[in-house]
Amino acid sequence: MAGFGARPWYGANEVLAFLLELAALGFLSWWGFGAGHQGALRILLGVGTPLLACAVWGLFAAPRARLRPRLPLVLMVKALVLGGGAAALYGVGHPVAAGAVAVVTVVNTAVAEFLRAAPPSVVPVGTGRPSDNS
């Protein structure tokens, strides 16, 4: 989270990304519990689907992922988990919301990759420059 003061759009986009990740897990759980199954299968889908998504995310796509593959695989994992969340929302009967979530997710991911590659345009105060100490 360091550097958010110098790059407020980066910080705002990262917060949005986190909220989209949480929403995807919620949508996956909602779909699992409402998939039309009864008993143990319903619980397995409702709890297991988001847990599996968390495990895959933690291994490959999280900022501190255990295995950090190259960007194309990270983006595929993000598409699988976040796209799966949008698909789950569609599956529970909300196609317009699912489309909106999908569009916001794609834009958020594109902006995140652009901002990560872009050099910071503002130097934070207190970096030791002579003008900061006067």
Side-chain angles (χ1 to χ4, degrees):
M1 295 226 149
F4 283 1
R7 298 171 71 183
W9 289 111
Y10 177 83
N13 199 60
E14 289 298 304
V15 168
L16 177 58
F18 181 67
L19 294 175
L20 287 168
E21 293 160 17
L22 292 178
L25 296 175
F27 299 149
L28 289 168
S29 183
W30 185 10
W31 169 83
F33 281 116
H37 301 286
Q38 297 300 320
L41 185 55
R42 180 179 183 197
I43 294 169
L44 180 64
L45 289 173
V47 175
T49 305
L51 284 178
L52 178 61
C54 283
V56 170
W57 191 273
L59 283 174
F60 302 108
R64 294 186 181 146
R66 290 180 93 30
L67 309 170
R68 192 63 180 180
R70 294 188 184 270
L71 183 61
L73 183 57
V74 172
L75 292 176
M76 282 196 307
V77 169
K78 287 183 176 189
L80 178 69
V81 172
L82 299 173
L89 187 57
Y90 182 88
V92 296
H94 296 280
V96 174
V101 167
V103 168
V104 170
T105 298
V106 168
V107 171
N108 173 263
T109 302
V111 169
E113 293 310 317
F114 173 78
L115 291 175
R116 282 189 191 108
S121 59
V122 178
V123 177
V125 175
T127 58
R129 294 183 310 158
S131 61
D132 289 340
N133 298 328
S134 47

